[in-house]
Coordinates of all heavy atoms in Angstrom, one line a residue:
M1 N -33.7 4.3 6.1 CA -33.2 4.4 4.8 C -31.7 4.1 4.7 O -31.0 4.4 5.6 CB -33.4 5.9 4.4 CG -33.2 6.1 2.9 SD -33.8 7.7 2.4 CE -32.4 8.4 1.6
A2 N -31.3 3.4 3.7 CA -29.9 3.0 3.6 C -29.0 4.2 3.3 O -29.5 5.2 2.7 CB -29.8 2.0 2.5
A3 N -27.8 4.1 3.8 CA -26.8 5.2 3.6 C -26.4 5.2 2.1 O -26.0 4.2 1.6 CB -25.7 5.0 4.5
K4 N -26.5 6.4 1.5 CA -26.1 6.5 0.1 C -24.6 6.7 -0.1 O -24.0 6.4 -1.1 CB -26.9 7.6 -0.6 CG -28.3 7.2 -0.7 CD -29.1 8.2 -1.5 CE -30.6 7.8 -1.5 NZ -31.2 7.7 -2.7
L5 N -24.0 7.3 0.9 CA -22.5 7.5 0.9 C -21.9 6.8 2.1 O -22.4 6.7 3.2 CB -22.3 9.0 1.1 CG -22.8 9.9 -0.1 CD1 -22.6 11.4 0.3 CD2 -22.1 9.6 -1.4
K6 N -20.7 6.2 1.8 CA -20.0 5.4 2.8 C -18.6 5.9 3.0 O -18.1 6.7 2.2 CB -20.0 3.9 2.4 CG -21.3 3.2 2.3 CD -20.9 1.8 2.2 CE -21.8 1.0 1.3 NZ -21.4 -0.4 1.2
K7 N -18.0 5.4 4.0 CA -16.6 5.7 4.3 C -15.7 5.2 3.1 O -15.9 4.1 2.6 CB -16.1 5.0 5.6 CG -14.7 5.2 6.0 CD -14.4 4.5 7.3 CE -12.9 4.6 7.6 NZ -12.6 3.9 8.8
G8 N -14.8 6.0 2.7 CA -14.0 5.6 1.5 C -14.4 6.1 0.2 O -13.7 6.0 -0.8
D9 N -15.7 6.6 0.1 CA -16.2 7.1 -1.2 C -15.5 8.4 -1.6 O -15.2 9.3 -0.7 CB -17.7 7.4 -1.1 CG -18.5 6.1 -1.1 OD1 -18.0 5.1 -1.5 OD2 -19.7 6.2 -0.8
K10 N -15.3 8.6 -2.9 CA -14.8 9.9 -3.4 C -16.0 10.8 -3.7 O -16.9 10.3 -4.4 CB -14.0 9.7 -4.7 CG -12.8 8.7 -4.5 CD -11.6 9.4 -4.1 CE -10.4 8.5 -4.1 NZ -9.4 8.8 -3.2
V11 N -16.0 12.0 -3.1 CA -17.1 12.9 -3.2 C -16.7 14.2 -3.7 O -15.5 14.6 -3.6 CB -17.9 12.9 -1.9 CG1 -18.6 11.6 -1.6 CG2 -17.1 13.4 -0.8
V12 N -17.7 15.0 -4.1 CA -17.5 16.4 -4.4 C -18.5 17.2 -3.6 O -19.6 16.8 -3.4 CB -17.7 16.7 -6.0 CG1 -19.1 16.3 -6.4 CG2 -17.3 18.1 -6.3
V13 N -18.1 18.4 -3.2 CA -19.0 19.3 -2.4 C -19.8 20.1 -3.3 O -19.3 20.8 -4.3 CB -18.1 20.2 -1.5 CG1 -19.0 21.1 -0.7 CG2 -17.2 19.4 -0.6
L14 N -21.2 20.1 -3.1 CA -22.1 20.8 -4.0 C -22.4 22.2 -3.5 O -22.8 23.1 -4.3 CB -23.4 20.0 -4.0 CG -23.3 18.6 -4.6 CD1 -24.7 17.9 -4.5 CD2 -22.8 18.6 -6.0
A15 N -22.3 22.5 -2.2 CA -22.7 23.8 -1.7 C -21.8 24.2 -0.5 O -21.2 23.3 0.2 CB -24.2 23.8 -1.2
G16 N -21.8 25.5 -0.2 CA -21.0 26.0 0.9 C -19.7 26.6 0.5 O -19.4 26.8 -0.7
K17 N -18.9 26.9 1.5 CA -17.6 27.6 1.2 C -16.6 26.8 0.5 O -15.7 27.3 -0.2 CB -17.0 28.1 2.5 CG -16.5 27.0 3.5 CD -15.9 27.6 4.7 CE -15.4 26.4 5.5 NZ -14.7 26.8 6.7
D18 N -16.7 25.5 0.5 CA -15.8 24.6 -0.2 C -16.4 24.0 -1.4 O -16.0 22.9 -1.9 CB -15.4 23.4 0.8 CG -14.6 23.9 2.0 OD1 -13.8 24.9 1.7 OD2 -14.8 23.5 3.1
K19 N -17.4 24.7 -2.0 CA -18.1 24.2 -3.2 C -17.1 23.8 -4.3 O -16.2 24.6 -4.6 CB -19.1 25.2 -3.7 CG -19.8 24.8 -4.9 CD -20.8 25.8 -5.3 CE -21.6 25.4 -6.5 NZ -22.6 26.4 -6.9
G20 N -17.2 22.6 -4.9 CA -16.3 22.2 -6.0 C -15.1 21.4 -5.5 O -14.5 20.7 -6.4
K21 N -14.8 21.4 -4.2 CA -13.7 20.6 -3.8 C -14.0 19.1 -3.7 O -15.2 18.8 -3.5 CB -13.3 21.1 -2.3 CG -12.5 22.4 -2.3 CD -12.0 22.6 -0.9 CE -11.3 23.9 -0.8 NZ -10.8 24.2 0.5
E22 N -13.0 18.3 -3.9 CA -13.2 16.9 -3.9 C -12.4 16.3 -2.8 O -11.4 16.8 -2.4 CB -12.7 16.3 -5.2 CG -13.5 16.8 -6.4 CD -12.9 16.2 -7.7 OE1 -12.0 15.4 -7.7 OE2 -13.5 16.6 -8.8
G23 N -12.8 15.1 -2.3 CA -12.1 14.5 -1.2 C -12.7 13.1 -0.9 O -13.7 12.7 -1.6
E24 N -12.1 12.4 0.0 CA -12.6 11.1 0.4 C -13.2 11.1 1.8 O -12.7 11.8 2.7 CB -11.4 10.1 0.4 CG -11.7 8.7 0.6 CD -10.5 7.8 0.5 OE1 -9.6 8.0 -0.3 OE2 -10.5 6.8 1.3
I25 N -14.3 10.4 1.9 CA -15.0 10.4 3.2 C -14.2 9.6 4.2 O -13.8 8.4 3.9 CB -16.4 9.8 3.1 CG1 -17.3 10.7 2.2 CG2 -17.0 9.6 4.4 CD1 -18.7 10.2 2.0
S26 N -13.8 10.2 5.4 CA -13.1 9.4 6.4 C -14.0 8.9 7.5 O -13.7 7.9 8.1 CB -12.0 10.3 7.0 OG -12.6 11.5 7.6
S27 N -15.2 9.5 7.7 CA -16.2 8.9 8.6 C -17.5 9.5 8.3 O -17.7 10.6 7.8 CB -15.8 9.2 10.1 OG -15.9 10.6 10.3
V28 N -18.6 8.7 8.7 CA -20.0 9.1 8.4 C -20.7 8.9 9.7 O -20.6 7.9 10.4 CB -20.6 8.2 7.3 CG1 -22.1 8.6 7.1 CG2 -19.8 8.3 6.0
N29 N -21.6 9.9 10.0 CA -22.5 9.8 11.1 C -23.9 9.9 10.6 O -24.5 10.9 10.4 CB -22.3 11.0 12.1 CG -23.1 10.9 13.3 OD1 -24.0 10.0 13.4 ND2 -22.9 11.8 14.3
P30 N -24.5 8.7 10.3 CA -25.8 8.7 9.6 C -27.0 9.2 10.5 O -27.9 9.8 10.0 CB -26.1 7.2 9.3 CG -25.1 6.5 10.1 CD -24.0 7.4 10.5
K31 N -26.8 9.1 11.8 CA -27.9 9.6 12.7 C -27.9 11.2 12.6 O -29.0 11.7 12.6 CB -27.5 9.2 14.1 CG -28.7 9.4 15.1 CD -28.4 8.7 16.4 CE -29.7 8.6 17.2 NZ -29.5 7.8 18.4
A32 N -26.8 11.8 12.5 CA -26.8 13.3 12.4 C -26.9 13.7 10.9 O -27.1 14.9 10.7 CB -25.5 13.8 13.0
G33 N -26.7 12.8 10.0 CA -26.7 13.1 8.6 C -25.5 13.9 8.1 O -25.6 14.8 7.3
K34 N -24.3 13.6 8.8 CA -23.1 14.4 8.4 C -22.0 13.4 8.2 O -22.0 12.2 8.5 CB -22.7 15.3 9.6 CG -23.7 16.4 9.8 CD -23.3 17.3 10.9 CE -24.3 18.4 11.1 NZ -24.2 19.5 10.2
A35 N -20.9 13.9 7.5 CA -19.8 13.1 7.2 C -18.5 14.0 7.3 O -18.6 15.3 7.1 CB -19.8 12.6 5.7
I36 N -17.4 13.4 7.5 CA -16.1 14.2 7.6 C -15.3 13.8 6.3 O -15.1 12.6 6.1 CB -15.3 13.8 8.8 CG1 -16.1 14.3 10.1 CG2 -13.9 14.4 8.8 CD1 -15.4 14.0 11.4
V37 N -15.0 14.8 5.5 CA -14.3 14.6 4.3 C -12.9 15.2 4.4 O -12.8 16.3 4.9 CB -15.1 15.3 3.1 CG1 -14.4 15.0 1.8 CG2 -16.5 14.8 3.0
D38 N -11.9 14.5 4.0 CA -10.5 14.9 4.1 C -10.3 16.2 3.2 O -10.7 16.2 2.0 CB -9.6 13.8 3.6 CG -9.6 12.6 4.5 OD1 -10.0 12.7 5.7 OD2 -9.3 11.5 4.0
G39 N -9.8 17.2 3.8 CA -9.5 18.5 3.1 C -10.6 19.4 2.8 O -10.5 20.4 2.1
V40 N -11.8 19.1 3.4 CA -13.0 19.9 3.2 C -13.5 20.4 4.6 O -13.5 19.6 5.5 CB -14.1 19.1 2.5 CG1 -15.3 19.9 2.4 CG2 -13.6 18.7 1.1
N41 N -14.0 21.6 4.6 CA -14.6 22.2 5.8 C -13.5 22.2 7.0 O -13.8 21.7 8.0 CB -15.8 21.5 6.2 CG -16.7 22.3 7.2 OD1 -16.6 23.5 7.2 ND2 -17.6 21.7 7.9
I42 N -12.4 22.8 6.7 CA -11.3 22.8 7.7 C -11.5 24.0 8.6 O -11.7 25.1 8.2 CB -9.9 23.0 6.9 CG1 -9.7 21.8 6.0 CG2 -8.8 23.1 7.9 CD1 -9.5 20.5 6.6
A43 N -11.3 23.6 9.9 CA -11.4 24.7 11.0 C -10.1 24.5 11.8 O -9.5 23.5 11.9 CB -12.6 24.4 11.9
V44 N -9.7 25.6 12.4 CA -8.5 25.7 13.2 C -8.8 25.5 14.7 O -9.7 26.2 15.2 CB -7.7 27.0 13.0 CG1 -6.5 27.0 13.9 CG2 -7.2 27.1 11.6
R45 N -8.3 24.4 15.3 CA -8.5 24.2 16.7 C -7.2 24.5 17.5 O -6.1 24.1 17.0 CB -8.9 22.7 16.9 CG -10.3 22.4 16.3 CD -11.4 23.0 17.1 NE -12.7 22.9 16.5 CZ -13.5 23.9 16.2 NH1 -13.1 25.1 16.5 NH2 -14.6 23.7 15.7
H46 N -7.3 25.1 18.6 CA -6.2 25.4 19.4 C -6.0 24.3 20.5 O -7.0 24.0 21.2 CB -6.3 26.8 20.1 CG -6.4 27.9 19.1 ND1 -7.6 28.1 18.3 CD2 -5.5 28.8 18.7 CE1 -7.3 29.1 17.5 NE2 -6.1 29.6 17.7
T47 N -4.8 23.8 20.6 CA -4.6 22.7 21.6 C -3.5 23.1 22.6 O -2.6 23.9 22.2 CB -4.1 21.4 20.9 OG1 -2.9 21.7 20.1 CG2 -5.2 20.9 19.9
R48 N -3.7 22.6 23.8 CA -2.7 23.0 24.8 C -1.5 22.0 24.7 O -1.7 20.9 24.4 CB -3.4 22.8 26.2 CG -2.6 23.1 27.4 CD -3.3 22.9 28.7 NE -4.4 23.9 28.8 CZ -4.3 25.0 29.5 NH1 -3.2 25.2 30.2 NH2 -5.4 25.8 29.6
Q49 N -0.4 22.5 25.1 CA 0.8 21.7 25.0 C 0.8 20.7 26.2 O 0.5 21.0 27.3 CB 2.1 22.6 25.1 CG 3.4 21.9 25.0 CD 4.6 22.8 25.0 OE1 4.4 24.1 25.1 NE2 5.7 22.3 25.0
T50 N 1.3 19.5 25.9 CA 1.4 18.4 26.9 C 2.8 17.9 26.8 O 3.6 18.3 25.9 CB 0.4 17.3 26.7 OG1 0.7 16.7 25.4 CG2 -1.0 17.8 26.6
Q51 N 3.1 16.9 27.7 CA 4.5 16.4 27.7 C 4.7 15.6 26.4 O 5.9 15.5 25.9 CB 4.7 15.4 28.9 CG 4.8 16.2 30.2 CD 5.1 15.2 31.3 OE1 4.7 14.1 31.3 NE2 5.7 15.7 32.4
T52 N 3.7 15.0 25.8 CA 3.9 14.2 24.6 C 3.6 14.9 23.3 O 4.2 14.5 22.3 CB 2.9 13.0 24.7 OG1 1.6 13.5 24.8 CG2 3.2 12.1 25.9
S53 N 2.9 16.0 23.3 CA 2.6 16.7 22.0 C 2.8 18.2 22.1 O 2.6 18.8 23.2 CB 1.1 16.4 21.6 OG 0.3 17.0 22.5
Q54 N 3.2 18.7 21.0 CA 3.4 20.2 20.9 C 2.0 20.9 20.8 O 1.1 20.4 20.1 CB 4.2 20.5 19.7 CG 4.5 21.9 19.4 CD 5.4 22.5 20.5 OE1 6.3 21.8 21.0 NE2 5.3 23.8 20.7
G55 N 1.8 22.0 21.5 CA 0.6 22.7 21.4 C 0.5 23.6 20.2 O 1.5 23.7 19.4
G56 N -0.5 24.3 20.0 CA -0.6 25.3 18.9 C -1.9 25.1 18.1 O -2.9 24.6 18.6
R57 N -1.9 25.7 16.9 CA -3.1 25.7 16.1 C -3.1 24.5 15.2 O -2.2 24.3 14.4 CB -3.1 27.0 15.2 CG -3.2 28.2 16.1 CD -2.9 29.5 15.3 NE -3.7 29.4 14.0 CZ -4.3 30.4 13.5 NH1 -4.3 31.5 14.0 NH2 -5.0 30.2 12.4
V58 N -4.1 23.7 15.3 CA -4.2 22.4 14.5 C -5.4 22.5 13.5 O -6.5 22.6 14.0 CB -4.4 21.2 15.4 CG1 -4.4 19.9 14.6 CG2 -3.2 21.2 16.4
P59 N -5.1 22.4 12.2 CA -6.3 22.4 11.3 C -7.0 21.0 11.3 O -6.3 20.0 11.3 CB -5.6 22.6 9.9 CG -4.2 22.3 10.1 CD -3.9 22.4 11.6
T60 N -8.3 21.0 11.5 CA -9.1 19.8 11.6 C -10.3 19.9 10.7 O -10.9 20.9 10.5 CB -9.6 19.7 13.1 OG1 -8.5 19.8 14.0 CG2 -10.3 18.4 13.3
A61 N -10.6 18.7 10.0 CA -11.7 18.6 9.2 C -13.0 18.5 10.0 O -13.1 17.6 10.9 CB -11.6 17.4 8.2
M62 N -14.0 19.3 9.8 CA -15.2 19.3 10.5 C -16.3 18.6 9.7 O -16.2 18.5 8.5 CB -15.6 20.8 10.9 CG -14.6 21.5 11.7 SD -14.2 20.7 13.3 CE -15.7 21.1 14.1
P63 N -17.4 18.2 10.4 CA -18.4 17.5 9.6 C -19.2 18.4 8.7 O -19.3 19.6 8.9 CB -19.4 17.0 10.7 CG -18.6 17.0 12.0 CD -17.6 18.1 11.8
I64 N -19.6 17.8 7.5 CA -20.4 18.5 6.5 C -21.6 17.7 6.3 O -21.6 16.5 6.3 CB -19.5 18.7 5.2 CG1 -20.3 19.6 4.3 CG2 -19.1 17.4 4.6 CD1 -19.4 20.1 3.1
D65 N -22.7 18.4 6.0 CA -24.0 17.7 5.8 C -24.0 16.8 4.5 O -23.4 17.2 3.5 CB -25.1 18.7 5.6 CG -26.5 18.2 6.0 OD1 -26.7 18.1 7.2 OD2 -27.2 17.8 5.1
L66 N -24.6 15.6 4.6 CA -24.6 14.7 3.5 C -25.3 15.2 2.3 O -25.0 14.8 1.2 CB -25.2 13.3 4.0 CG -24.4 12.5 4.9 CD1 -25.2 11.3 5.4 CD2 -23.1 12.1 4.3
S67 N -26.3 16.1 2.5 CA -27.0 16.7 1.4 C -26.1 17.6 0.5 O -26.5 17.9 -0.6 CB -28.2 17.5 1.9 OG -27.8 18.6 2.6
N68 N -25.0 18.0 1.1 CA -24.1 18.9 0.3 C -23.0 18.1 -0.4 O -22.1 18.7 -0.9 CB -23.5 19.9 1.2 CG -24.5 20.9 1.8 OD1 -25.5 21.1 1.1 ND2 -24.2 21.4 2.9
L69 N -23.1 16.8 -0.4 CA -22.1 15.9 -1.0 C -22.7 15.1 -2.1 O -23.9 14.7 -2.0 CB -21.4 15.0 0.0 CG -20.8 15.6 1.2 CD1 -20.3 14.6 2.2 CD2 -19.6 16.5 0.8
A70 N -21.9 14.8 -3.2 CA -22.3 14.0 -4.3 C -21.2 13.0 -4.6 O -20.0 13.4 -4.6 CB -22.8 14.8 -5.5
L71 N -21.5 11.8 -4.9 CA -20.5 10.8 -5.3 C -19.9 11.1 -6.6 O -20.6 11.6 -7.5 CB -21.2 9.4 -5.3 CG -20.3 8.2 -5.5 CD1 -19.5 8.0 -4.3 CD2 -21.2 7.0 -5.9
L72 N -18.6 10.8 -6.8 CA -17.9 11.0 -8.0 C -18.0 9.7 -8.8 O -17.7 8.6 -8.2 CB -16.5 11.4 -7.8 CG -16.2 12.8 -7.5 CD1 -14.7 13.0 -7.2 CD2 -16.6 13.8 -8.5
D73 N -18.5 9.7 -10.1 CA -18.5 8.5 -10.9 C -17.2 8.3 -11.6 O -16.2 9.0 -11.3 CB -19.7 8.5 -11.9 CG -19.5 9.7 -12.9 OD1 -18.5 10.4 -12.8 OD2 -20.4 9.8 -13.7
S74 N -17.1 7.3 -12.4 CA -15.9 6.9 -13.1 C -15.4 8.0 -14.0 O -14.2 8.1 -14.3 CB -16.0 5.6 -13.8 OG -17.1 5.7 -14.8
N75 N -16.3 8.9 -14.5 CA -15.9 10.0 -15.4 C -15.4 11.2 -14.6 O -15.0 12.2 -15.2 CB -17.1 10.4 -16.2 CG -17.6 9.3 -17.1 OD1 -16.9 8.4 -17.5 ND2 -18.9 9.3 -17.3
G76 N -15.5 11.2 -13.3 CA -15.1 12.3 -12.4 C -16.1 13.4 -12.3 O -15.8 14.5 -11.9
K77 N -17.4 13.0 -12.6 CA -18.5 14.0 -12.4 C -19.4 13.6 -11.2 O -19.5 12.4 -10.9 CB -19.3 14.0 -13.7 CG -18.6 14.6 -14.9 CD -19.5 14.8 -16.0 CE -18.7 15.5 -17.1 NZ -19.5 15.9 -18.2
A78 N -20.1 14.5 -10.7 CA -21.0 14.3 -9.6 C -22.2 13.5 -10.1 O -22.7 13.7 -11.2 CB -21.5 15.6 -9.0
T79 N -22.6 12.5 -9.3 CA -23.8 11.7 -9.7 C -24.6 11.3 -8.4 O -24.1 11.4 -7.3 CB -23.3 10.3 -10.3 OG1 -24.4 9.6 -10.7 CG2 -22.5 9.5 -9.4
R80 N -25.9 11.0 -8.7 CA -26.7 10.5 -7.6 C -26.5 9.0 -7.5 O -26.1 8.3 -8.4 CB -28.2 10.9 -7.9 CG -28.4 12.4 -7.8 CD -29.9 12.7 -8.0 NE -30.3 12.3 -9.4 CZ -31.6 12.0 -9.7 NH1 -32.5 12.1 -8.7 NH2 -31.9 11.6 -10.9
V81 N -26.9 8.5 -6.3 CA -26.8 7.1 -6.0 C -28.1 6.4 -5.9 O -29.1 7.0 -5.3 CB -26.0 6.9 -4.7 CG1 -25.9 5.4 -4.3 CG2 -24.7 7.5 -4.7
G82 N -28.3 5.3 -6.5 CA -29.5 4.5 -6.5 C -29.2 3.1 -6.0 O -28.1 2.7 -5.8
F83 N -30.3 2.4 -5.7 CA -30.1 1.0 -5.2 C -30.9 0.1 -6.2 O -31.9 0.4 -6.7 CB -30.7 0.8 -3.8 CG -29.9 1.6 -2.8 CD1 -30.3 2.9 -2.4 CD2 -28.8 1.0 -2.2 CE1 -29.6 3.5 -1.4 CE2 -28.1 1.7 -1.3 CZ -28.5 3.0 -0.9
R84 N -30.3 -1.1 -6.4 CA -31.0 -2.1 -7.2 C -30.6 -3.5 -6.7 O -29.6 -3.6 -5.9 CB -30.7 -2.0 -8.7 CG -29.3 -2.2 -9.1 CD -29.1 -2.1 -10.6 NE -27.6 -2.0 -10.9 CZ -27.1 -1.3 -11.8 NH1 -27.9 -0.6 -12.6 NH2 -25.8 -1.3 -12.0
E85 N -31.3 -4.5 -7.1 CA -31.0 -5.8 -6.6 C -30.2 -6.6 -7.6 O -30.6 -6.7 -8.8 CB -32.3 -6.6 -6.2 CG -32.1 -7.4 -5.0 CD -33.3 -7.8 -4.3 OE1 -34.0 -6.9 -3.8 OE2 -33.6 -9.0 -4.3
E86 N -29.1 -7.2 -7.2 CA -28.3 -8.0 -8.1 C -28.0 -9.3 -7.3 O -27.4 -9.2 -6.2 CB -27.0 -7.3 -8.5 CG -27.2 -6.2 -9.5 CD -25.9 -5.6 -9.9 OE1 -24.8 -6.0 -9.5 OE2 -26.0 -4.6 -10.6
D87 N -28.3 -10.5 -7.9 CA -28.1 -11.8 -7.2 C -28.7 -11.8 -5.8 O -28.1 -12.4 -4.9 CB -26.6 -12.1 -7.2 CG -25.9 -12.1 -8.6 OD1 -26.6 -12.4 -9.5 OD2 -24.8 -11.7 -8.7
G88 N -29.8 -11.2 -5.7 CA -30.5 -11.3 -4.4 C -29.9 -10.3 -3.3 O -30.3 -10.4 -2.2
K89 N -29.0 -9.5 -3.7 CA -28.4 -8.5 -2.8 C -28.7 -7.1 -3.2 O -28.8 -6.8 -4.4 CB -26.9 -8.7 -2.7 CG -26.5 -10.0 -2.0 CD -25.0 -9.9 -1.7 CE -24.6 -11.1 -0.8 NZ -23.2 -11.1 -0.4
K90 N -28.8 -6.2 -2.3 CA -29.0 -4.8 -2.6 C -27.7 -4.1 -2.8 O -26.8 -4.2 -1.9 CB -29.8 -4.2 -1.4 CG -30.2 -2.8 -1.6 CD -31.0 -2.4 -0.3 CE -31.5 -1.0 -0.3 NZ -32.2 -0.6 0.9
V91 N -27.5 -3.5 -4.0 CA -26.2 -2.8 -4.3 C -26.5 -1.4 -4.7 O -27.5 -1.0 -5.2 CB -25.5 -3.6 -5.4 CG1 -25.0 -4.9 -5.0 CG2 -26.3 -3.7 -6.7
R92 N -25.4 -0.6 -4.4 CA -25.5 0.8 -4.8 C -25.0 1.0 -6.3 O -24.1 0.3 -6.7 CB -24.6 1.7 -3.9 CG -25.0 1.7 -2.5 CD -24.1 2.6 -1.7 NE -22.7 2.4 -2.0 CZ -21.8 3.4 -1.8 NH1 -22.1 4.6 -1.4 NH2 -20.5 3.2 -2.1
Y93 N -25.6 1.9 -7.0 CA -25.1 2.2 -8.4 C -25.1 3.7 -8.7 O -26.0 4.4 -8.1 CB -25.8 1.3 -9.4 CG -27.2 1.8 -9.7 CD1 -27.5 2.6 -10.8 CD2 -28.3 1.5 -8.9 CE1 -28.8 3.1 -11.1 CE2 -29.6 1.9 -9.2 CZ -29.8 2.7 -10.3 OH -31.1 3.2 -10.5
A94 N -24.2 4.1 -9.6 CA -24.2 5.5 -10.0 C -25.3 5.7 -11.1 O -25.4 4.9 -12.0 CB -22.9 5.9 -10.6
K95 N -26.2 6.7 -10.9 CA -27.3 6.9 -11.8 C -26.9 7.4 -13.2 O -27.5 7.1 -14.1 CB -28.3 7.8 -11.2 CG -29.1 7.1 -10.0 CD -30.4 7.8 -9.8 CE -31.2 7.0 -8.7 NZ -32.5 7.5 -8.6
T96 N -25.8 8.1 -13.3 CA -25.3 8.6 -14.6 C -24.7 7.5 -15.4 O -25.1 7.4 -16.6 CB -24.3 9.7 -14.4 OG1 -23.2 9.2 -13.6 CG2 -24.9 10.9 -13.8
T97 N -23.9 6.6 -14.9 CA -23.2 5.6 -15.7 C -23.9 4.2 -15.5 O -23.7 3.4 -16.4 CB -21.7 5.5 -15.3 OG1 -21.7 5.1 -13.9 CG2 -21.0 6.8 -15.5
G98 N -24.6 4.0 -14.5 CA -25.3 2.7 -14.3 C -24.4 1.7 -13.6 O -24.8 0.5 -13.4
E99 N -23.1 2.0 -13.4 CA -22.2 1.0 -12.8 C -22.3 1.0 -11.3 O -22.7 1.9 -10.6 CB -20.8 1.3 -13.2 CG -20.3 2.6 -12.8 CD -18.9 2.9 -13.4 OE1 -18.6 2.5 -14.5 OE2 -18.2 3.7 -12.7
T100 N -22.0 -0.2 -10.7 CA -22.1 -0.3 -9.2 C -20.9 0.4 -8.6 O -19.8 0.4 -9.1 CB -22.1 -1.8 -8.8 OG1 -20.9 -2.4 -9.3 CG2 -23.3 -2.5 -9.4
V101 N -21.2 0.9 -7.4 CA -20.2 1.6 -6.6 C -20.0 1.0 -5.3 O -20.9 0.4 -4.7 CB -20.4 3.1 -6.5 CG1 -20.1 3.8 -7.8 CG2 -21.8 3.4 -6.1

């Protein structure tokens, strides 16, 4: 099945502790069905000090399930993604507005 969400998409979180937050997808793991969204699902990781970097508590974005994300359309609302054929190519489009994304 084709990936409905890609790197660089603006998304909104539908469920979980960060419900309602918006962000941009920085990476997608389609095999695991998860994505990393900037500013969402933040966890604190502790790092050891090295010669090149300062140690301490580092906030890191953790993966979130793709089923808990929805694409933002041009109106700024959550929408589902569909596929259609245009000029012999398969393109994604927002189901609420009908425009390609």
Side-chain angles (χ1 to χ4, degrees):
M1 191 167 129
K4 295 189 181 227
L5 297 174
K6 293 195 221 177
K7 179 180 176 180
D9 284 346
K10 303 274 188 207
V11 294
V12 63
V13 179
L14 300 176
K17 66 178 184 178
D18 294 321
K19 181 178 180 177
K21 285 189 180 178
E22 298 175 4
E24 185 175 327
I25 295 180
S26 57
S27 69
V28 178
N29 184 353
K31 195 168 191 176
K34 293 183 180 280
I36 295 178
V37 182
D38 297 332
V40 175
N41 199 21
I42 301 295
V44 174
R45 293 288 174 237
H46 297 74
T47 58
R48 183 181 291 261
Q49 183 176 358
T50 64
Q51 287 183 335
T52 58
S53 66
Q54 180 69 29
R57 300 169 43 139
V58 180
T60 308
M62 300 302 287
I64 187 168
D65 205 81
L66 289 174
S67 65
N68 294 333
L69 300 174
L71 187 70
L72 284 176
D73 62 2
S74 57
N75 302 330
K77 295 190 175 187
T79 183
R80 291 185 297 155
V81 177
F83 293 97
R84 64 179 168 215
E85 219 162 292
E86 289 180 5
D87 301 328
K89 288 191 173 184
K90 187 174 174 182
V91 294
R92 298 182 314 151
Y93 73 98
K95 289 204 173 186
T96 54
T97 59
E99 60 190 30
T100 59
V101 285

